[in-house]
């Protein structure tokens, strides 16, 4: 599989896990230099992006049959990073349970309302439960599109409680109005376009 076309929900971590190749070996391959210029975050790709996936290296090891040998498999691990806020205020020091498949991870958010957990790459869904609030969030991992795209901007604005209805794959008049609202609140030039300052501020406030 020299090149693969990214589908919705795929990212460098899930592709590396599926092919059992370290993600850096894929992302830093010379054939992916153009994609690296286009997408700064390898875990936020756009459906339709083309990613070169090199072949997996194999090797043979000789060992005596009358001896016990130990081999270590280096599974692909990625990080789940979230910033949780209610009406703009960080959800600080809040206990949570994160469920991925049959695995339960417990922790507390930081003062800034952030959580960071090491998780196996390849998971597409997770459940985040804030135990003291009886509040559950269903997470679709890898579904977030790049910020400088209409769909990616709309997803982030929706997560920040701006009203964006349904799936958006183009800059519509309604989305322009919402972008303008965001720019006004942030003190940016109200261009109603996804200019570089708006993309940077939206990524920063959203967390990615």
């Amino acid at each position: 599989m020299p090149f693969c076309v990214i589908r919705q929900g795929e990212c460098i971590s899930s592709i590396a896990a599926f092919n059992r190749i370290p993600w850096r070996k894929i992302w830093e391959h010379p054939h992916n230099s153009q994609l690296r210029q286009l997408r700064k975050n390898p875990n936020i790709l756009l459906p339709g992006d083309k990613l070169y996936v090199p072949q997996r290296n194999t090797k043979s090891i000789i060992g005596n049959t009358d001896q016990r040998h130990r081999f270590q498999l280096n599974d692909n691990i990625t990080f789940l990073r979230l910033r949780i806020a209610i009406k703009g205020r960080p959800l600080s020091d809040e206990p949570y349970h994160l469920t991925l498949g049959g695995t339960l991870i417990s922790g507390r958010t930081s003062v800034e309302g952030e959580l960071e957990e090491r998780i196996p790459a390849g998971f597409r869904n997770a459940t985040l439960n804030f135990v003291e609030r009886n509040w559950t969030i269903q997470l679709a991992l890898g579904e977030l599109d790049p910020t400088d795209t209409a769909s990616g901007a709309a997803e982030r604005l929706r997560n920040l409680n701006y009203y964006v209805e349904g799936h958006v794959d183009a800059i519509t008049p309604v989305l322009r109005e919402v972008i303008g609202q965001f720019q006004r609140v942030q003190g940016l030039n109200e261009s109603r376009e996804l200019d570089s300052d708006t993309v940077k501020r939206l990524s920063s406030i959203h967390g990615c």
Side-chain angles (χ1 to χ4, degrees):
M1 183 175 59
F3 279 92
C4 73
V5 179
I6 299 299
R7 296 174 297 180
Q8 188 67 48
E10 290 184 324
C11 63
I12 195 72
S13 296
S14 62
I15 292 171
F18 178 80
N19 290 279
R20 291 204 169 278
I21 302 174
W23 72 268
R24 289 186 184 276
K25 182 178 179 181
I26 300 175
W27 188 243
E28 295 175 359
H29 195 281
H31 288 344
N32 289 320
S33 60
Q34 187 173 357
L35 184 59
R36 289 197 303 272
Q37 291 295 319
L38 184 63
R39 311 293 181 214
K40 303 305 181 183
N41 187 334
N43 279 315
I44 304 181
L45 302 178
L46 186 69
D49 285 343
K50 292 184 178 180
L51 178 73
Y52 182 82
V53 181
Q55 290 186 335
R56 185 173 66 236
N57 292 333
T58 59
K59 64 179 179 179
S60 299
I61 298 176
I62 299 175
N64 295 328
T65 57
D66 59 349
Q67 293 181 339
R68 179 176 294 179
H69 305 277
R70 177 177 294 177
F71 300 93
Q72 180 175 337
L73 177 64
N74 293 322
D75 284 339
N76 279 288
I77 298 294
T78 190
F79 286 89
L80 174 64
R81 298 183 178 94
L82 298 173
R83 179 181 298 163
I84 310 297
I86 298 178
K87 295 183 179 180
R89 300 184 63 179
L91 193 60
S92 304
D93 194 33
E94 190 76 22
Y96 62 82
H97 293 326
L98 176 67
T99 305
L100 301 101
T103 302
L104 177 65
I105 303 172
S106 298
R108 302 183 79 94
T109 59
S110 70
V111 174
E112 293 79 18
E114 298 174 344
L115 67 87
E116 179 178 299
E117 296 288 355
R118 286 167 55 90
I119 63 172
F123 274 99
R124 300 287 292 273
N125 297 284
T127 300
L128 180 62
N129 177 247
F130 291 99
V131 294
E132 294 182 356
R133 293 176 178 265
N134 195 28
W135 180 29
T136 299
I137 304 174
Q138 300 297 330
L139 304 174
L141 306 180
E143 294 286 336
L144 198 61
D145 292 340
T147 315
D148 59 356
T149 65
S151 57
E155 290 160 359
R156 287 166 177 80
L157 288 165
R158 187 181 295 115
N159 288 342
L160 293 172
N161 288 327
Y162 287 85
Y163 180 73
V164 182
E165 184 178 5
H167 178 73
V168 176
D169 56 12
I171 302 291
T172 64
V174 173
L175 182 56
R176 288 186 190 280
E177 178 63 29
V178 176
I179 292 171
Q181 293 173 14
F182 174 80
Q183 292 169 331
R184 194 179 314 126
V185 170
Q186 296 299 318
L188 299 172
N189 176 39
E190 199 172 329
S191 65
R192 301 190 179 188
E193 301 283 351
L194 287 176
D195 53 58
S196 60
D197 288 341
T198 301
V199 169
K200 289 178 182 178
R201 184 68 60 84
L202 183 54
S203 295
S204 175
I205 292 177
H206 186 272
C208 61

